[in-house]
Amino acid sequence: MRVESSGGLPLPELERQQAGAKRRRRRARAAAAAAAPRTMAAPATAVQRLFEACREVFTGAGPGAVPPPAGVERIKSVLDSITAADVRLTSSMPYFRRVDPYGTPKITYLHLYKCEAFSIGIFCLPSRGVIPLHNHPGMTVFSKLLFGAMHIKSYDWAASQQDTPDVQLQAGPRLAKVKVDGILTAPHETAVLYPEDGGNMHCFTAQNACAVLDVLGPPYDDGSGRHCQYYNVRSSAISVGSTILPGGDRYEWLEESEPSRDFYLVGSTYMGPKILDH
């Protein structure tokens, strides 16, 4: 028995006709799409390129691991190319105004992105703004000064008795080697610090309005042992607060402390190009 459709044609013939019609429609759509003007994809923003580099480098390195040199250079290269205009910041914005000409101004933090592997943010410092001496335990940190000038003083712990032959280490205050002590002025290449080198503990003092784009990998996390600890320079541990040992290196004694009462760090909304986390 031959089965026919309601239109009178045998079902196989009807299916062949429908399949042929579908093929013709597909070819017509493909031809129309080929003839239509193509829309070019917008190039990735600077912060998107930074995010993608950080995601690949830090997730590839594994939890808490220091990225390989090639990964460090990749992130550093992207940061070196970023300007204040890429994040829509100018020194005339309210973040950089001093409300009290005599007191210590507040510091504003603009959050761009954070995950378990890394975070991206911007510190906005008015003139004379200070971020006290603090550490970055187990972290690799990239800092790009977008504009302004700031005094930076950084330290690394004296690793062993061999590093400090004439000074006896003791409980309490710890001896640290001064890594950097000077003025940094934009434009300047990105600074990189490591868990045990590069100036893992540092403090910033703004000479004028400054903006610092920071990448932390991994970010602070008390539960994972990455607590932000503040320090004071202890002048009473030895006869003076610092000493120069053979080889010309300068060392100072540091002790844990709470941040000063006039240190105010507040968060605000980042208004620049958004990061797309696909």
Side-chain angles (χ1 to χ4, degrees), residues 213-236:
L213 175 56
D214 258 11
V215 173
L216 278 63
Y220 289 109
D221 179 20
D222 289 351
S224 300
R226 294 189 299 275
H227 168 69
C228 182
Q229 178 63 57
Y230 294 89
Y231 298 91
N232 285 330
V233 176
R234 175 76 177 269
S235 60
S236 60

Side-chain angles (χ1 to χ4, degrees), residues 69-257:
V72 170
E73 284 303 314
R74 180 182 175 189
I75 295 175
K76 184 175 180 293
S77 176
V78 176
L79 278 166
D80 283 342
S81 70
I82 293 180
T83 67
D86 291 323
V87 291
R88 298 179 188 168
L89 278 182
T90 67
S91 59
S92 62
M93 288 179 163
Y95 313 129
F96 306 101
R97 296 175 189 162
R98 289 181 56 87
V99 177
D100 181 355
Y102 302 103
T104 301
K106 67 182 179 181
I107 312 300
T108 303
Y109 180 75
L110 307 178
H111 168 76
L112 275 70
Y113 182 83
K114 183 178 181 180
C115 65
E116 291 183 356
F118 64 92
S119 65
I120 305 173
I122 302 172
F123 289 94
C124 304
L125 294 80
S127 177
R128 292 175 54 195
V130 176
I131 298 180
L133 181 61
H134 62 284
N135 69 347
H136 306 83
M139 299 155 68
T140 303
V141 179
F142 299 77
S143 297
K144 170 63 185 295
L145 183 62
L146 296 173
F147 57 76
M150 63 167 48
H151 179 267
I152 298 177
K153 191 169 186 180
S154 65
Y155 303 81
D156 290 313
W157 292 122
S160 67
Q161 187 68 28
Q162 285 72 25
D163 292 336
T164 56
D166 294 338
V167 178
Q168 179 65 41
L169 296 178
Q170 61 188 54
R174 292 182 59 186
L175 200 62
K177 180 188 294 186
V178 177
K179 188 74 173 183
V180 175
D181 187 3
I183 302 293
L184 191 70
T185 303
H188 196 281
E189 67 176 352
T190 301
V192 186
L193 62 85
Y194 300 92
E196 298 181 0
D197 189 29
N200 184 274
M201 298 165 288
H202 62 202
C203 59
F204 296 157
T205 303
Q207 307 299 293
N208 49 31
C210 295
V212 183
L213 175 56
D214 258 11
V215 173
L216 278 63
Y220 289 109
D221 179 20
D222 289 351
S224 300
R226 294 189 299 275
H227 168 69
C228 182
Q229 178 63 57
Y230 294 89
Y231 298 91
N232 285 330
V233 176
R234 175 76 177 269
S235 60
S236 60
I238 51 179
S239 58
V240 292
S242 64
T243 186
I244 297 178
L245 299 177
D249 292 326
R250 184 157 59 104
Y251 291 78
E252 294 183 351
W253 294 92
L254 307 181
E255 64 177 351
E256 296 181 359
S257 68

